[in-house]
C-alpha cells in the first residue's frame, strides 16, 4: 500500500497447501481448482494484491526450495536484491526503505481495516468419527486419473503411509476422501455409502482391498470417509489403481449425482508436502504434533 | 485463624513462571528445529542475491502463463509464496 505509489509491484504466488484440511480446504487437483483457491483467498482477505498461481508441477515452489512462505525483492532488471526463506513484513519494509526510500506515515495492518471473511461453511460435520492416523504418517504420491471422471473431483483422496511402509514396503496406509469445500457439496446419505476398490499387480498386497465408508443416519454430512489399510509389497515404490464410488449433492440441492473416479497411487513419499496434520471436526488444526512437525502458519494479511 | 504463608505462595508463583518460561523456550526451539530443513533448502535452491529470477512461467489469476522475469519489468517487485492454509 505504501510502496505501490512508488512503483513497487507486489505478487502473491499461490502454492500447494501447507496444511491440507485446515479450515476444511483440500489440495486442488487442477489449475482451475488452484485458481478457485485464489478466488477464495481474495474473498476471505479482501486484499487487492496481485495473485499468481504456481504451475501444477510447482515449478516456482521447487525453485524456492519448497519453502512455504519465501519472499524475494527484485530490482527493475530482474535481479534478486533481497531474499528470505520466511516472509517478514517488518524486514520487507526495511528492504524497501533501502531500495526505494522511506515513506511518510507508514501504514499499519490495523489501519487497513480489511474485511476478513470466514471460511466456507459446510453442512454438518463431526457426525462420522475420524480415523486416527498412525504416528509419523507422511503424504503418499497420488495421481487422479482425470479422464475417468465426468464430474469434478468433489471428494479428493488424501493418502499417507507410515515411514516403515516407505522404507520396507510393509506398513499402514491411510486413505481419506475429503469433500472439497470450494464445490459446496455434501455426501448424499440417502444413497449407498462410499465404496473403494483397489486393483494391484502381483506382489502388491493391500488389505482390505475393498471397503465401504460410514453411512450415518443423517441425510447429509461432510465428514471425510477414511480407512486404514495394511500394505505388504515386494519392494517400495510400486503403484496400484484405486477406484472410488460415491453420491454427492450440492449444498443448494440443485443436483445429486453418482460419482466414480480413479487414482493411480504410488507407494512412495510425496515430498511436495512438508506437513502431515490432523484436524478437528470444525476444520481447526489438532494441536497434537508429531515428531518433526512445526507450527502451522496460515496465510495472513501482514505480508 | 490461618495465617497466609506468603513465602510459600511466592515460591509457587516463581516455580510456575519458571515452568512457563521453559515451556515457551522449548516450543520455540522445536519450532526453529522444524524450520531448519526448510531454511537449508531455501539457501541451496533459491536464487542468490545478485542473480536473475529463474526463467519460469506461472499462471496469472485468469490462468494465462506469464514468465516471472516479465512481471512489472520497469519496477521493483516483491514475490511472496503463500496459500490458504
Amino acid at each position: 500500500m505504501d510502496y505501490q505509489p512508488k512503483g513497487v509491484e507486489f505478487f502473491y504466488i499461490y502454492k500447494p497447501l501447507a496444511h491440507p484440511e485446515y479450515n476444511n480446504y483440500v489440495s486442488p487437483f487442477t489449475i482451475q481448482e488452484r485458481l478457485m483457491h485464489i478466488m477464495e483467498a481474495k474473498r476471505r482477505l479482501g486484499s487487492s494484491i496481485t495473485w499468481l498461481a504456481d504451475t501444477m508441477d510447482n515449478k516456482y515452489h521447487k525453485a524456492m526450495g519448497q519453502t512455504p512462505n519465501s519472499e524475494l525483492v527484485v530490482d527493475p532488471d530482474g535481479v534478486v536484491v533481497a531474499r528470505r526463506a520466511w516472509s517478514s513484513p517488518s524486514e520487507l519494509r526495511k528492504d524497501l526503505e533501502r531500495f526505494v526510500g522511506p515513506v511518510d506515515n507508514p501504514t499499519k495492518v490495523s489501519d487497513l481495516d480489511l474485511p476478513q471473511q470466514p471460511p466456507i461453511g459446510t453442512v454438518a460435520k463431526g457426525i462420522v468419527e475420524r480415523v486416527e492416523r498412525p504416528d509419523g504418517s507422511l503424504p503418499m504420491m497420488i495421481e487422479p486419473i482425470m479422464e475417468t471422471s465426468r464430474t469434478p473431483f468433489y471428494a479428493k483422496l488424501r493418502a499417507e503411509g507410515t515411514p516403515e511402509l516407505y522404507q520396507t514396503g510393509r506398513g499402514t496406509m491411510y486413505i481419506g476422501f475429503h469433500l472439497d469445500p470450494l464445490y459446496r457439496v455434501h455426501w448424499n446419505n440417502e444413497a449407498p455409502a462410499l465404496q473403494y476398490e483397489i486393483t494391484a499387480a502381483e506382489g502388491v498386497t493391500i488389505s482390505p482391498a475393498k471397503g465401504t465408508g460410514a453411512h450415518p443416519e443423517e441425510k447429509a454430512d461432510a465428514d471425510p470417509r477414511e480407512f486404514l489399510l495394511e500394505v505388504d509389497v515386494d519392494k517400495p515404490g510400486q503403484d496400484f489403481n484405486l477406484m472410488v464410488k460415491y453420491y454427492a449433492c450440492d449444498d443448494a440441492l440443485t443436483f445429486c449425482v453418482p460419482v466414480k473416479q480413479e487414482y493411480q497411487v504410488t507407494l512412495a513419499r510425496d515430498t511436495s508436502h512438508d506437513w502431515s496434520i490432523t484436524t478437528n471436526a470444525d476444520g481447526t488444526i489438532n494441536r497434537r504434533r508429531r515428531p518433526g512437525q512445526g507450527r502451522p502458519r496460515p496465510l495472513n494479511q501482514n505480508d | 485463624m490461618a495465617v497466609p504463608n506468603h513465602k510459600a505462595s511466592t515460591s509457587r508463583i516463581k516455580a510456575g513462571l519458571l515452568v512457563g518460561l521453559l515451556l515457551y523456550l522449548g516450543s520455540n526451539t522445536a519450532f526453529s528445529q522444524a524450520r531448519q530443513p526448510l531454511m537449508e533448502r531455501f539457501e541451496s535452491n533459491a536464487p542468490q542475491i545478485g542473480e536473475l529470477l529463474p526463467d519460469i512461467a506461472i499462471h496469472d489469476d485468469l490462468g494465462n502463463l506469464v514468465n516471472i522475469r516479465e512481471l512489472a519489468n520497469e519496477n521493483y517487485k516483491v514475490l511472496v509464496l503463500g496459500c490458504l492454509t
Side-chain angles (χ1 to χ4, degrees):
Chain A
M1 188 173 197
D2 291 340
Y3 282 91
Q4 272 183 338
K6 290 176 174 283
V8 178
E9 297 277 346
F10 292 82
F11 299 95
Y12 219 119
I13 300 173
Y14 204 90
K15 60 164 211 40
L17 292 186
H19 311 289
E21 289 189 50
Y22 180 64
N23 282 330
N24 302 317
Y25 295 114
V26 296
S27 297
F29 284 169
T30 65
I31 189 63
Q32 288 78 15
E33 290 178 342
R34 191 167 272 183
L35 297 175
M36 287 165 68
H37 277 240
I38 287 181
M39 293 292 288
E40 172 67 357
K42 286 181 179 176
R43 179 190 75 81
R44 286 197 54 205
L45 300 181
S47 163
S48 59
I49 200 166
T50 302
W51 288 82
L52 302 168
D54 200 359
T55 53
M56 289 309 288
D57 56 355
N58 304 312
K59 284 193 175 75
Y60 185 86
H61 189 221
K62 287 174 184 166
M64 297 300 127
Q66 292 180 227
T67 43
N69 192 217
S70 68
E71 182 172 84
L72 298 181
V73 181
V74 181
D75 76 6
D77 296 322
V79 174
V80 175
V81 291
R83 68 199 282 273
R84 56 185 60 85
W86 227 271
S87 171
S88 164
S90 58
E91 292 301 312
L92 176 60
R93 183 174 287 280
K94 288 181 197 167
D95 291 335
L96 295 177
E97 283 174 357
R98 190 154 49 103
F99 297 120
V100 186
V103 294
D104 299 327
N105 304 316
T107 307
K108 295 177 193 153
V109 173
S110 55
D111 297 333
L112 294 173
D113 194 28
L114 291 173
Q116 286 234 18
Q117 300 297 328
I120 294 171
T122 65
V123 299
K125 292 197 84 168
I127 292 166
V128 176
E129 197 171 338
R130 297 294 306 266
V131 165
E132 185 81 12
R133 273 173 280 187
D135 274 352
S137 292
L138 293 165
M140 188 174 287
M141 292 176 69
I142 64 163
E143 187 69 39
I145 305 174
M146 308 305 291
E147 55 273 22
T148 61
S149 179
R150 294 180 189 170
T151 63
F153 280 67
Y154 299 124
K156 291 183 166 64
L157 170 66
R158 180 171 179 179
E160 295 189 1
T162 51
E164 62 270 22
L165 170 55
Y166 297 126
Q167 287 156 11
T168 67
R170 286 184 189 172
T172 304
M173 175 173 67
Y174 162 90
I175 59 172
F177 299 93
H178 297 255
L179 288 172
D180 187 337
L182 297 185
Y183 286 115
R184 294 168 170 80
V185 292
H186 56 259
W187 306 114
N188 177 6
N189 294 332
E190 295 180 290
L194 175 146
Q195 291 180 300
Y196 78 85
E197 185 171 344
I198 286 171
T199 310
E202 206 168 308
V204 177
T205 304
I206 300 173
S207 179
K210 291 182 183 178
T212 301
H215 198 221
E217 288 183 1
E218 282 77 359
K219 290 181 179 177
D221 77 284
D223 288 316
R225 302 299 191 250
E226 301 171 295
F227 308 87
L228 289 178
L229 294 78
E230 291 307 312
V231 179
D232 188 348
V233 296
D234 298 340
K235 56 178 191 268
Q238 299 187 72
D239 53 28
F240 63 87
N241 180 279
L242 172 60
M243 184 273 292
V244 62
K245 290 194 285 190
Y246 57 91
Y247 292 81
C249 299
D250 72 324
D251 293 347
L253 292 178
T254 59
F255 71 79
C256 286
V257 288
V259 181
K260 180 183 172 190
Q261 290 163 336
E262 291 181 45
Y263 297 84
Q264 178 172 306
V265 182
T266 304
L267 294 163
R269 167 99 160 82
D270 179 356
T271 54
S272 66
H273 299 282
D274 292 312
W275 310 88
S276 173
I277 62 163
T278 57
T279 53
N280 304 310
D282 61 357
T284 55
I285 289 176
N286 183 334
R287 295 286 168 187
R288 190 174 65 85
R289 290 195 203 136
R290 301 206 171 101
Q293 286 187 289
R295 183 177 303 168
R297 184 186 186 281
L299 178 152
N300 63 48
Q301 296 182 50
N302 297 337
D303 302 313
Chain B
M1 185 179 167
V3 178
N5 185 345
H6 293 293
K7 201 171 178 180
S9 57
T10 305
S11 296
R12 275 199 294 274
I13 290 168
K14 280 181 180 173
L17 286 172
L18 181 62
V19 169
L21 179 65
L22 289 172
L23 285 172
Y24 173 76
L25 292 174
S27 67
N28 273 315
T29 304
F31 186 36
S32 300
Q33 284 173 347
R35 274 193 180 184
Q36 193 57 35
L38 297 177
M39 307 296 260
E40 288 169 7
R41 288 211 306 262
F42 180 78
E43 283 307 317
S44 55
N45 287 276
Q48 300 293 324
I49 288 175
E51 289 183 356
L52 279 173
L53 272 178
D55 185 11
I56 289 175
I58 60 177
H59 299 273
D60 65 16
D61 61 358
L62 297 175
N64 304 308
L65 280 170
V66 289
N67 192 305
I68 55 171
R69 286 183 173 175
E70 293 164 10
L71 297 169
N73 234 352
E74 306 294 314
N75 300 312
Y76 273 89
K77 50 187 170 274
V78 178
L79 305 178
V80 183
L81 265 174
C83 64
L84 270 170
T85 67

